[in-house]
Amino acid sequence: METIRLDKCVAQNYGCSRREAGILIRKGLVTVNGVPVRDAALKVSGADQVRNAEQDLEVVTREAPRYFMLNKPRGVITATDDSEHSTVMSCFWNEAGGLFPVGRLDLDTEGLLFVTDDGAWAHRVTAPSRKCPKVYEAELENPADPGLKEIFAAGVLLRGEKTPTLPADLEILAPNLVRLTIYEGRYHQVKRMFASQGNHVISLKRIAIGGIALPEDLLPGEYRPLTPEEAALF
Ligand code: URA
């Protein structure tokens, strides 16, 4: 039976980094077969019962992490649990627990969202230092001013923030339809970038993340596993 390190197992289950998992373990908050273990390098397998004693949750030990792409539909929230809305996890059937979404799309945004149980991988996709490109198509209320290309390439200051956005690439596809590539993931970033220039995003779709494009035949609500080659890009 395959084994994995305890910190990796905890990170996969909670969507945290290995460092954060290590802190939880060193605090004695993780038990293996009922015994608190402070050694993050301990190898565990599917035969071990691992628990997060702080939250009294079972940690599922998996032999291999899983990676999916979902075409997130509008109207579902990017979370594992919500008292008001359906979550993106409701799109998944026949998959055991432990999965969580990587990053976040707004309730009314659709498109490419990764879902995994590998916290370290998720961290690599979203870490600001990696500047992973994310491509969005946006329908705008007003025609896009051609000057926006230069403005977004230079970076804009969003309301309430101290540092300008990183240079972003804008393509104007039609008067009210644009494609924007950003290299960070601030709160409501695309909508706020257009709002900062007096325009308004009417609909928003993410069409690619880090070189992986949303396939045209993957309809909203559908998902498929990433190939090993795709998962290895991050
Ligand atoms: N930017 C936004 O404004 N919303 C999203 O869902 C993603 C990026």
Side-chain angles (χ1 to χ4, degrees), residues 104-106 109 136 188-192 204:
R104 185 174 183 283
L105 290 177
D106 296 338
T109 300
Y136 294 86
H188 295 329
Q189 180 165 344
V190 175
K191 293 173 187 166
R192 290 166 71 214
L204 187 61

Side-chain angles (χ1 to χ4, degrees), residues 69-72 74 104-105 109-114 132-139 169 171 173 177-182 190 203-218 220 224 226 230 234:
M69 64 161 74
L70 168 70
N71 185 348
K72 176 196 171 295
R74 298 199 168 93
R104 185 174 183 283
L105 290 177
T109 300
E110 74 171 61
L112 184 61
L113 183 73
F114 295 148
C132 174
K134 289 166 283 275
V135 187
Y136 294 86
E137 267 182 18
E139 195 190 336
D169 309 318
E171 262 181 90
L173 306 174
L177 185 66
V178 293
R179 186 175 294 155
L180 181 67
T181 305
I182 59 175
V190 175
S203 72
L204 187 61
K205 178 175 179 178
R206 182 155 67 190
I207 58 168
I209 303 172
I212 299 185
L214 179 70
E216 281 188 5
D217 59 358
L218 194 72
R224 73 151 168 86
L226 292 186
E230 286 170 335
F234 299 94

